[in-house]
Amino acid sequence: MKHKIGLLVLLGSFLAAAAWSAVESHPRKPYGDFFARQIEARADSLTGFDIQKYEITLDINHQTHQIAGNVLATVLAEDNLSSIQYNLVGLTVSSVLVNGVAAAYTHTGGIINISLNIPSGQTFSTQVFYSGVPQLSGAPYNIGMIFSANTVFTISDPDAGRYWWPCYDHPWDKAVVDLHITLRGDWKVAANGIRTSIVDNGDGTSTTHWIGEHPMTTYLVCITAGPYVEINQTAGDIPIQSFVTQNQYNNALVDFANVPAMINYFSQVFGPYPFEKYGHAVVSMSTYGAMEHQTMTTLGNFIITGNGTYELIIAHELAHQWYGNAVSFLTFKDVWLSEGFATYSEHLWVDHTLGWQAAADYIYTSYHQYYLNWAAGAGPQTIYDPAFNYYFAPPSYEKAASVLHMLRLKIGNANFFQLLQDWFSAWSGGNAVTSEFQALAEQISGQDLNQFFQQWIYGSGTPELEYSVWNNSNSDQPLRIEARTRSNTPTNFEIQVPFRFVNGADSDSLLVNAFPNGVCNSFSLNYDSASVLEPNHNHWALLRNVTELKPALTECLPSNSAVLLSWEPFLDNQNLAYYVYRRPLQGVPEWQQINPEALNELSFLDSSAENGTAYQYAVRAIDASGYLSEMSNFMAATPVAFSFANDLLVVDETRDGTGANINPDDAMVDAFYAAALSPIVYEDWDVATQGLPGLDILGQYRLILWHADDFAQNLLIDHLNVLGGYLLGGGKVLLSGWKTTSVLSDTFLQRFGGNVDLVYDNSAGLIGAESTQYPELLVDPLKTIPTWNQMLPYIYTFLGTSNSLYTANMSTTSLGNGNSIAFRRSLPASGSEFVLLGLPLYFMQADGVRGFLQAIIPDLLSPVANHDPAVPPISLSLSVSPNPFQSRTILRFTLAEKGSARLGIYNLKGQLVRELLFGEKSHGTYDIAFDGRDGKGSPLASGIYIIRMDSGGKSISKKVSLIK
């Protein structure tokens, strides 16, 4: 009904021969009688009657659109009947006969209610006489009997038969249908069944008789009439009778040329063609591209091109004769049993005509991707029981075809094609439901398919696959693939995905299981650096994404004769250790493992790196059984020799403005800092004209004063590795700016700023900064705007600082009032110093800024910094990121010396919820993941918890918020 045209990639062949040998060789199984009895007992259980046959006699006036006629129905009473109901909308009933005698009836709300007195087991007839101008069914389908300038035709799927003839318009009551259609004599009438005669009525009209042989649902009954010529073909003893206009004739000969071959092919794959004839009638229609009326498919004009462009639509509608027409669904809850099968037949025909690779690519482009693109806008849908407006949407078509393809993989090729044939032979002529299809698939395959059907047919969503590859050359199963699924709905997917393994001339196919909690798949294949794994080979599985998980190297900080590396905990597994690899980028690089013992930490300082040599780094995880992961992403770094030959470099990041009070130009900023620093000797670096300074530049200076007095631009965000490498190598930085703190990463802040929490005030609230060590800093009112009331916005303050230089004096409504607004932190191991201000110095009054810089710069440049003796050295730090968190956060702590360490999670009552660490640890920085669960593995409720670290006789605590 609805169709799209897929682009075919014509590449090779793979599976066709095996598929068809399986089709030909398997035996039939006697399912038919058993399942037919089930259907027969159920199909009419709600009505008490079974309509055996309809005989439609109809006179159609193409000019006035008036129709008049009658429908004679032969009915079997399965219960004692006092009435029977038919559907008829928008037309007028003039009389009703029961067994040839006038009967009482009502016709309201589209229902004809006929009074009866028929005992159970008796066959009787009803005859309804009616007339009028047919109306269309309304949105979204707008179908029924459709008149145009040169045709009249009917489209009734899903429920528009009632708009042009009285019937019990539901798919579960199938009946044989005869049609006797009177119309203008110069037109031909195409319909279901066999045309037995065309009678000239002598009044400019003729009556065409089409006689049916097989039962069908009411939505499959059709009348199509127009100034047609016929094209007659045969497929064995099956007549093929098609109706086209004269100007379509030559093109149609080409487009219909392969129909006999299609019938023969599908008869081989599905079972013998089920009806007395086949054919097509071509019309101009808008709702659907084509419609699979039983024995007489209606095609849209666009399909007749003369070059076979839309051959797959023709194949799709033909396949419906087996699935949808012969084997009908009971209700539209199971419409996929019709549309999914017909859609999958397109793939089968591509395989038959173009080869396996083209057919596999068709699965990907025309099923998987087509559905996923649609679902991206419509949201995840279920295949089973679609909404009325979605009967003929991609879940019933493309997604259902993808599911059939995955079922083929799951139960095996031979079982799948046996299932297609036995499904047809068991239910041909009747109606079936999804549960019976599942039961037959389970009987043939011997598998429990409940999970498969629950997730794909009854559940919504589409999974994505995440997998990681591991190798252990000392194992008898060297290759391991750990795979898990992620769902975009509550549906938990358990899937099978083919992987193609290639190593030189050797190749193999691997079937990988993936569950929500992960599956370890082991294989006895020699896996090495030359091996290639291709997931979801030939697109068997419908997947939103396929992601190979590898360790993630997050930081590669070059410094003086060293490179600092950091990475994420792989797979959230705290039991993994890590190896670090390095190779030079010049020459013929080979990877070298540079740590002899596996690391339990998530960082490593490569102190053997040579200055000036460009290196590439990666990490691999190793588990307790000796399996190594694939290498991480690669990151590059070139360590640089620091001379510290000069004292002070002033880096001006502020862009050259207009000269307005909050947008100073370059000369104004330069003059301000020159006055504040004089007579201190310094060199200036203007980022606007010189770009950001490299590590080789910074390393020539003992101290960097970096200022960014610009609230609309912060270039440092792309330069943190350089500044961090400078600090790591013993440099000293005084950093001030407007919102500059916002670009400092959590890692940078924790490493160089310590255990600091940020507080941001967007509104104008800063009055000044007060200090017991340095001159007061006051906002310069001449550099503000009136709406700020002589205060500054965009201010950062800090909590948890150990050496605060200034305290923020802000409006009482400001979050940061009373917090530290500037702090200083020393890193004794490297000799570096980091001073961070949450305000822009340029916008403070000049005297205070000069006094501050004249005091702190000589102190920072002195060989031994004059630290406040009242401030104890930092021996312990703890940070949490992200905070708040939903499912996982990282606790980072630093130990100044080796000793016992204990890390625990406590509730607000002080009760221990979970102990994360207890034991001896060397000095250094450590990361531990917390997954929001208690010590028994149960999820914690949303709320605030206390993270407490005890080591060396000291304790430190942080609050963390769990939000679900």
Side-chain angles (χ1 to χ4, degrees):
M1 284 161 282
K2 173 277 310 159
H3 292 282
K4 46 94 187 100
I5 303 302
L7 298 176
L8 303 182
V9 182
L10 309 180
L11 299 170
S13 178
F14 175 68
L15 195 58
W20 311 138
S21 63
V23 169
E24 294 170 356
S25 63
H26 71 76
R28 295 288 181 85
K29 292 187 178 181
Y31 310 119
D33 291 343
F34 170 74
F35 288 120
R37 286 195 300 273
Q38 283 190 322
I39 296 169
E40 183 179 358
R42 165 198 62 202
D44 302 299
S45 61
L46 299 179
T47 63
F49 60 85
D50 182 14
I51 298 176
Q52 309 287 300
K53 183 177 182 179
Y54 294 105
E55 189 169 348
I56 303 172
T57 301
L58 195 59
D59 190 323
I60 303 173
N61 187 319
H62 177 257
Q63 296 298 322
T64 66
H65 300 181
Q66 185 78 21
I67 67 173
N70 70 87
V71 175
L72 177 65
T74 302
V75 187
L76 172 65
E78 296 178 323
D79 295 328
N80 296 328
L81 297 178
S82 60
S83 65
I84 191 170
Q85 292 79 37
Y86 296 129
N87 304 98
L88 185 67
V89 178
L91 298 169
T92 301
V93 177
S94 57
S95 63
V96 171
L97 304 179
V98 175
N99 288 333
V101 178
Y105 70 93
T106 60
H107 183 203
T108 59
I111 302 295
I112 307 170
N113 190 72
I114 304 171
S115 297
L116 300 174
N117 185 15
I118 306 293
S120 177
Q122 181 175 317
T123 298
F124 64 100
S125 69
T126 64
Q127 193 168 14
V128 178
F129 293 82
Y130 70 108
S131 62
V133 176
Q135 65 187 61
L136 299 182
S137 63
Y141 299 113
N142 302 299
I143 52 175
M145 182 173 283
I146 300 167
F147 292 87
S148 68
N150 64 346
T151 56
V152 56
F153 63 96
T154 62
I155 299 286
S156 301
D157 196 7
D159 62 350
R162 66 193 69 187
Y163 285 86
W164 62 275
W165 65 289
C167 56
Y168 184 65
D169 196 15
H170 301 282
W172 57 80
D173 198 342
K174 300 172 71 169
V176 175
V177 179
D178 293 347
L179 296 107
H180 312 285
I181 308 303
T182 299
L183 201 70
R184 54 188 288 181
D186 58 338
W187 282 13
K188 287 188 175 181
V189 177
N192 317 94
I194 295 292
R195 186 179 63 194
T196 58
S197 65
I198 304 175
V199 178
D200 188 341
N201 298 320
D203 58 358
T205 70
S206 62
T207 301
T208 305
H209 300 275
W210 289 89
I211 307 303
E213 296 183 10
H214 298 87
M216 67 176 128
T217 64
T218 52
Y219 74 76
L220 292 173
V221 179
C222 72
I223 297 169
T224 308
Y228 287 130
V229 294
E230 295 183 37
I231 297 174
N232 290 287
Q233 302 166 281
T234 59
D237 58 355
I238 304 297
I240 307 170
Q241 191 174 16
S242 298
F243 295 79
V244 300
T245 58
Q246 184 63 58
N247 67 337
Q248 294 172 326
Y249 182 82
N250 290 331
N251 284 346
L253 290 176
V254 176
D255 292 324
F256 293 153
N258 287 334
V259 173
M262 284 184 191
I263 292 177
N264 293 332
Y265 168 71
F266 287 144
S267 295
Q268 176 190 6
V269 178
F270 305 147
Y273 179 77
F275 300 122
E276 60 272 26
K277 78 145 197 320
Y278 189 57
H280 310 89
V282 181
V283 302
S284 176
M285 60 176 167
S286 57
T287 298
Y288 305 134
M291 174 62 210
E292 69 274 12
H293 295 123
Q294 189 158 308
T295 75
M296 183 59 72
T297 286
T298 303
L299 298 177
N301 281 333
F302 74 93
I303 293 171
I304 306 305
T305 62
N307 56 22
T309 298
Y310 299 106
E311 184 168 280
L312 292 182
I313 291 181
I314 295 173
H316 176 113
E317 305 306 331
L318 172 60
H320 267 305
Q321 304 304 311
W322 284 264
Y323 304 113
N325 296 5
V327 180
S328 303
F329 47 81
L330 192 68
T331 71
F332 278 91
K333 291 181 178 181
D334 297 288
V335 66
W336 80 276
L337 292 173
S338 171
E339 297 303 343
F341 279 62
T343 304
Y344 191 67
S345 71
E346 301 166 23
H347 157 78
L348 297 177
W349 183 246
V350 172
D351 190 8
H352 180 69
T353 56
L354 299 177
W356 171 254
Q357 192 58 57
D361 293 336
Y362 189 79
I363 289 284
Y364 176 72
T365 58
S366 297
Y367 300 164
H368 296 346
Q369 289 305 116
Y370 189 94
Y371 171 73
L372 291 172
N373 290 340
W374 176 85
Q381 306 286 326
T382 58
I383 289 177
Y384 183 76
D385 194 14
F388 178 77
N389 292 1
Y390 278 0
Y391 282 172
F392 311 120
S396 302
Y397 287 69
E398 287 78 15
K399 185 180 182 183
S402 294
V403 171
L404 285 174
H405 196 57
M406 290 184 288
L407 180 62
R408 176 177 174 181
L409 174 70
K410 186 166 184 63
I411 69 175
N413 215 48
N415 285 337
F416 178 77
F417 286 102
Q418 179 180 334
L419 174 62
L420 292 185
Q421 290 206 354
D422 290 355
W423 178 245
F424 166 69
S425 64
W427 275 272
S428 185
N431 301 75
V433 296
T434 299
S435 60
E436 290 155 336
F437 181 67
Q438 177 182 339
L440 184 58
E442 290 179 336
Q443 187 167 349
I444 290 173
S445 67
Q447 297 182 30
D448 181 350
L449 299 174
N450 189 62
Q451 172 67 28
F452 181 90
F453 277 82
Q454 287 298 322
Q455 66 190 22
W456 287 118
I457 302 298
Y458 301 107
S460 63
T462 309
E464 58 180 296
L465 172 69
E466 295 179 345
Y467 72 96
S468 57
V469 181
W470 302 75
N471 177 59
N472 185 349
S473 58
N474 296 320
S475 171
D476 57 356
Q477 291 185 309
L479 173 61
R480 196 174 74 194
I481 301 175
E482 294 185 3
R484 65 189 183 192
T485 57
R486 295 281 189 241
S487 177
N488 58 344
T489 69
T491 303
N492 289 320
F493 285 91
E494 299 179 3
I495 62 175
Q496 292 179 311
V497 182
F499 277 57
R500 183 169 182 257
F501 172 85
V502 178
N503 192 330
D506 298 329
S507 65
D508 203 348
S509 295
L510 314 177
L511 197 59
V512 171
N513 293 294
F515 293 174
N517 293 328
V519 180
C520 181
N521 302 268
S522 298
F523 304 97
S524 56
L525 292 170
N526 292 320
Y527 185 82
D528 56 33
S529 59
S531 301
V532 176
L533 278 172
E534 179 189 340
N536 202 19
H537 179 59
N538 278 331
H539 321 298
W540 279 95
L542 173 61
L543 299 168
R544 282 184 297 120
N545 290 299
V546 178
T547 304
E548 182 180 2
L549 300 177
K550 299 179 180 180
L553 191 59
T554 58
E555 190 176 38
C556 189
L557 229 85
S559 190
N560 182 19
S561 300
V563 176
L564 177 64
L565 306 163
S566 299
W567 53 91
E568 296 288 339
F570 187 41
L571 301 178
D572 295 331
N573 187 344
Q574 301 303 312
N575 297 318
L576 295 176
Y578 299 89
Y579 286 117
V580 181
Y581 298 84
R582 183 185 73 191
R583 64 181 178 184
L585 289 178
Q586 300 298 322
V588 183
E590 291 186 2
W591 288 109
Q592 290 183 326
Q593 179 184 313
I594 57 176
N595 59 315
E597 299 294 332
L599 299 168
N600 293 314
E601 295 80 17
L602 298 175
S603 62
F604 177 77
L605 182 66
D606 178 16
S607 56
S608 65
E610 296 182 2
N611 287 330
T613 301
Y615 295 103
Q616 200 170 48
Y617 290 89
V619 296
R620 296 176 76 178
I622 184 169
D623 69 8
S625 57
Y627 277 88
L628 280 165
S629 74
E630 290 282 79
M631 274 191 173
S632 70
N633 56 309
F634 304 156
M635 296 186 79
T638 304
V640 175
F642 293 178
S643 67
F644 293 138
N646 305 295
D647 283 340
L648 177 61
L649 178 68
V650 177
V651 177
D652 178 8
E653 188 190 316
T654 311
R655 63 183 172 180
D656 188 14
T658 62
N661 51 352
I662 62 169
N663 193 15
D665 60 29
D666 190 58
M668 295 165 67
V669 175
D670 288 348
F672 176 83
Y673 281 97
L677 289 169
S678 179
I680 298 174
V681 176
Y682 68 94
E683 295 184 40
D684 186 71
W685 187 278
D686 183 46
V687 172
T689 58
Q690 296 175 273
L692 291 164
L695 189 60
D696 56 334
I697 300 297
L698 299 182
Q700 298 174 30
Y701 298 87
R702 297 169 58 203
L703 174 62
I704 306 297
L705 168 57
W706 191 301
H707 63 90
D709 305 290
D710 190 330
F711 63 81
Q713 170 180 280
N714 282 285
L715 304 178
L716 190 56
I717 189 171
D718 297 319
H719 216 55
L720 290 181
N721 267 11
V722 173
L723 194 63
Y726 169 75
L727 283 165
L728 187 69
K732 299 178 181 182
V733 172
L734 193 161
L735 176 62
S736 77
W738 223 350
K739 297 197 294 188
T740 301
T741 302
S742 67
V743 305
L744 303 181
S745 68
D746 289 341
T747 300
F748 186 98
L749 270 173
Q750 291 169 12
R751 178 173 292 128
F752 302 112
N755 188 34
V756 175
D757 289 331
L758 305 182
V759 178
Y760 177 61
D761 280 283
N762 186 64
S763 301
L766 179 66
I767 300 167
E770 300 171 348
S771 175
T772 60
Q773 301 172 257
Y774 302 104
E776 183 179 15
L777 300 176
L778 294 173
V779 172
D780 188 340
L782 300 178
K783 296 178 180 178
T784 65
I785 57 178
T787 57
W788 290 352
N789 296 318
Q790 300 184 10
M791 294 182 286
L792 285 185
Y794 319 131
I795 299 301
Y796 274 90
T797 58
F798 313 104
L799 298 175
T801 59
S802 59
N803 188 4
S804 178
L805 305 183
Y806 279 96
T807 300
N809 179 14
M810 306 182 74
S811 66
T812 55
T813 58
S814 298
L815 296 174
N817 186 36
N819 294 344
S820 172
I821 198 169
F823 69 89
R824 174 177 177 175
R825 183 166 185 257
S826 302
L827 283 81
S830 63
S832 65
E833 298 248 14
F834 181 52
V835 178
L836 178 61
L837 286 79
L839 54 81
L841 286 174
Y842 173 82
F843 289 89
M844 311 307 288
Q845 293 182 20
D847 288 346
V849 174
R850 174 175 170 78
F852 167 62
L853 294 180
Q854 292 292 327
I856 197 169
I857 287 177
D859 185 21
L860 289 169
L861 288 173
S862 66
V864 179
N866 297 317
H867 295 290
D868 184 350
V871 179
I874 299 171
S875 61
L876 191 63
S877 69
L878 173 66
S879 63
V880 184
S881 180
N883 186 13
F885 76 103
Q886 288 184 309
S887 60
R888 179 178 174 274
T889 188
I890 298 297
L891 313 181
R892 171 167 288 186
F893 63 93
T894 300
L895 302 179
E897 57 187 20
K898 182 178 180 181
S900 64
R902 184 172 187 174
L903 182 64
I905 313 295
Y906 298 82
N907 60 27
L908 291 179
K909 296 180 180 180
Q911 298 166 322
L912 180 65
V913 172
R914 181 176 173 185
E915 189 168 72
L916 297 175
L917 172 69
F918 184 60
E920 288 287 322
K921 298 295 287 185
S922 298
H923 75 277
T925 299
Y926 299 86
D927 288 343
I928 291 182
F930 174 45
D931 59 4
R933 296 177 181 271
D934 64 18
K936 296 180 179 179
S938 300
L940 292 173
S942 297
I944 298 175
Y945 295 87
I946 305 297
I947 313 292
R948 177 174 170 177
M949 182 79 202
D950 297 283
S951 181
K954 293 182 172 59
S955 296
I956 189 170
S957 299
K958 296 281 289 186
K959 290 183 179 179
V960 61
S961 295
L962 173 59
I963 300 175
K964 295 184 177 180

